[in-house]
Amino acid sequence: MEVAADVGFRRSPGWAFILLVLVAAQGWLTLHLFGPGLPIDRLTNDEPVLDGRHPLHSYHGLLGYRSWHVRQATTCYDPAFQAGYLKTPIFDAGSRPAELFYLVGGPTPASYKIGLAICCMLSPLCFALAGRGAGVNAGGSCLAGLIGTALFWSPPCRAMLEAGDLDLLMGGMCAPVYLAWLARFERNPGPVEWLVIAGSAAVGWYMQPLVMVGAVALSLLFHLWAFRSVRFAWHLGLLSANFVGLGVNGFWLWDWGTHLWMYVPYGGADAPLSTWPAAFQEWEAFLPHDPVELAACAVGVVGLFIMSWRSSVAAGLLGAGAVLYVAGGGAGKLWPVLAEVGTQKLQAVGIWCCAVPCAYAMNAISQSIGSSSGVRLLGIVWLAVGLAGITFGLDLPGRWNATQLEIGLGGEREDIVRSLREKSTADGRILWEDRSDITRGSGWTALLPELTQRQYLGGLSPETAIDHLHIRLADGKLIGRPLGDWTDIELARFFDRYNVTRIVCRCPESIARVRRLEGATAIGEFKNGAGVLFAIDRKPSFILTGRGQVTQMDWQRVALTDVEPDANGVIVLSLHHHVNWHVSPAYVAVEKDVDVNDPIPLLRLRLPGPTTRVTLTWTGE
């Protein structure tokens, strides 16, 4: 079955207008994420997005923005949470889009929301661009944009959007573009093709390396397949495009590689185990469950066969990408180790690789009906009727009118922020109890340091992905041990080591235990059972051994004045130790103060005697 010649948008301006209409429609749907009607004010005000990990991305994006302006790196040491931890790409990959939004638009919630909206609006253009790379004409590319947009609003992808997985959504949309234009580069290795490959690779690597590792692996196989059929200049051009895409991301990929040690692999006594033979019996894990995605995959398989007659390279690359990512997504659902890395979310990327073949099949069938009947309009009518039937049969309007994003703190959270700011001081930490049974909007606590100018144990993320999160109170357990099993002496020792002066208890068991704690006083109760604020009767100090004054403790530096070590010449700070500290004066040595209950030691300084000022700066080098 043949399709019409590859006619692009320059020769078909009408289809370019239709593509713009698709982008405008996607923009209208995107606006509905921020409220009913046309909520431009909610898009441009300073109220943050609270769904999923959006608050965490916003907070880390702000740290990365500040760090970039000081030391041209987005990794930094943050003492505001967990007695000091490293903000790295390992812990929060989704902060990279936020950093880009802040660099372009300024460090405000409005920049984050506008950047989020622009990324959502790009989906029709991305899939239409992939269609052009695969050799689909302008009309078929518009159809690919429409199909890709429908997949973008499917429940699995919508769940990723609400969870804050914008890095995977954007990186995933780059994958079909990259693979399709690899095929176009084989047909016509020109500068436009080189730029699209380099650009899609650069954006893909920046957004989500997990996606691009698979795509580049297919590119290397493509090199081997075409080794003898093309000239050396062709290989050099394609390799240079990939090196450019990878090279422009070297500034953060280096940090990603050097901090892999921070990642906590899956483990524990309750970890489910799956063997390969048993796992293959769960074959349904490799299949999409949403009807829109199932339909796209089914028609896409037909489209791959049709496409192979005219563009076997494009069909092979997109088909291999679909298989690779769908298999990775299914494997992530079955094996916990892969799920920890996030491969279960790659299934959506594999389905997106079917969008262009799906459009190719529908376009080919439409043209076949038009040519066989002698009435070209008949094929277009068939296509329009088919799309309308699919739209209403799968209730696509209902999918697009899904739940809006939660924006703004609201009265209750503002009361919590006000209480914490008024009833605590900056010379001690607040122990915040995390709860796993509260899902939507629970991640807002990542914004607390910016809202209150206080330091916290807990509240950063409900997911324990790095060792630093081990030291926290969650669901009635302190460091994984029920709070009721801790004696008053043990709790006092914990409060002294981590300089805890306030506790926010949010579970009934925790509230009851702290009420019985000697020296603990309830000084505030939040509305609707949101928690109780307790004050701990102890003298706050971030210096555990020796004496001195802390004059600065933030992401830039830790500064101490009037420092007097103990009899052993030691100062111990209630801050986690990390390598790559630059200390002034140079004769001060940095050591580790180990605690068996904490996988990360605290920071110990050794100096010969009293010193007027000691400054520590984390350089990352």
Side-chain angles (χ1 to χ4, degrees), residues 26 46 127 134 141 161 169 218 236 267 285 294 307 318 347 382 405 439 441 445 458 509 530 567 608:
Q26 175 72 347
D46 285 334
F127 289 103
S141 297
L161 181 62
L169 289 172
L218 293 178
L236 183 62
L294 280 172
M307 184 185 294
L318 290 172
Q347 189 176 72
W382 175 89
L405 294 174
T439 53
T445 53
E509 300 83 1

Side-chain angles (χ1 to χ4, degrees), residues 473-486:
L473 176 62
D475 297 322
K477 295 181 179 181
L478 182 62
I479 318 183
R481 177 183 167 193
L483 191 61
D485 294 347
W486 287 69

Side-chain angles (χ1 to χ4, degrees), residues 467-548:
D467 279 334
H468 303 74
L469 297 183
H470 180 68
I471 304 298
R472 65 174 181 168
L473 176 62
D475 297 322
K477 295 181 179 181
L478 182 62
I479 318 183
R481 177 183 167 193
L483 191 61
D485 294 347
W486 287 69
T487 66
D488 286 7
I489 296 177
E490 289 174 326
L491 288 174
R493 189 181 299 118
F494 178 88
F495 297 155
D496 288 341
R497 185 167 180 82
Y498 297 101
N499 194 23
V500 175
T501 57
R502 299 291 186 271
I503 306 177
V504 177
C505 295
R506 305 173 66 208
C507 291
E509 300 83 1
S510 301
I511 295 173
R513 173 63 186 95
V514 178
R515 287 191 189 277
R516 301 193 306 268
L517 177 64
E518 184 179 357
T521 305
I523 59 175
E525 188 166 344
F526 306 135
K527 296 179 181 178
N528 297 325
V532 178
L533 176 62
F534 291 91
I536 305 300
D537 185 15
R538 56 173 297 273
K539 183 179 179 180
S541 178
F542 288 103
I543 300 179
L544 306 183
T545 302
R547 291 186 298 177

